[in-house]
Amino acid sequence: MSGNSTRFAVGAVETRTTAVVATGLIAGFLLGVVLGSLCGSLAGRHRRSAVLGLVAMFLSGAALLGSAGERSVAIGLVALAMGAVNATFEQRDGGSVGLTYMTGALARIGQGVAAALLGRGGREWLSYVALWGGLIGGAMVGTIVYRHIAMAALWVPAGVTLCLAFAAHLMRAR
């Protein structure tokens, strides 16, 4: 949402259409966070599987509508899904497991390189290289798949998320 916030700010000054689109995406993300948190709270001990099920539902809807030519609605559903997934790690008391976003990951990589150059620190920062590499790799694979099957590419993350929801449910049942 950092990029969309920046797009909103630039659009508010230069191009209203850009600001309107960014506002919609930010609002969709925030609504997704609210819905994910509510879903997780209502699900109790099945929080993770319920939230992941909600995310899979949003992504499946996006895939279905996007494939039917309703691209704007599909993108809105993806924004909802991306907001809702944040509730996966929310805890009952309202606290949350610290999520790592790419700005922070890149900063940790830079700090790790600096520490290594100074002869200090370990190799913990390499996990952030893997995290960033996963984001870049996933974006590249997503781009390639999108080139071939357009909005139907959303079925891939929808299916993966649904599998994760079942896995979380099975692990909780044990």
Side-chain angles (χ1 to χ4, degrees):
M1 287 293 109
S2 304
N4 285 314
S5 296
T6 302
R7 288 180 60 212
F8 165 76
V10 171
V13 173
E14 292 185 357
T15 311
R16 283 199 180 268
T17 304
T18 302
V20 169
V21 170
T23 299
L25 291 171
I26 292 166
F29 181 86
L30 287 173
L31 180 58
V33 172
V34 170
L35 294 173
S37 291
L38 291 172
C39 175
S41 292
L42 293 172
R45 64 186 205 105
H46 298 286
R47 165 183 280 294
R48 286 196 178 120
S49 57
V51 170
L52 288 169
L54 178 67
V55 171
M57 182 183 74
F58 287 148
L59 291 173
S60 295
L64 185 65
L65 291 169
S67 296
E70 297 294 332
R71 191 166 188 237
S72 295
V73 178
I75 291 170
L77 287 171
V78 170
L80 282 171
M82 295 305 96
V85 78
N86 286 278
T88 305
F89 297 107
E90 189 177 341
Q91 297 173 0
R92 287 185 185 171
D93 62 1
S96 181
V97 172
L99 300 175
T100 302
Y101 295 97
M102 288 307 111
T103 301
L106 289 171
R108 295 281 171 100
I109 292 167
Q111 292 164 349
V113 169
L117 290 172
L118 293 170
R120 294 185 240 161
R123 296 182 179 183
E124 303 84 29
W125 61 275
L126 291 173
S127 64
Y128 293 101
V129 172
L131 183 65
W132 185 75
L135 174 82
I136 297 303
M140 292 171 80
V141 168
T143 300
I144 292 166
V145 172
Y146 180 81
R147 280 185 183 167
H148 294 287
I149 60 174
M151 296 297 278
L154 289 168
W155 287 113
V156 175
V160 169
T161 305
L162 188 58
C163 290
L164 289 172
F166 283 127
H169 178 73
L170 292 175
M171 289 189 326
R172 185 67 190 164
R174 288 183 187 171

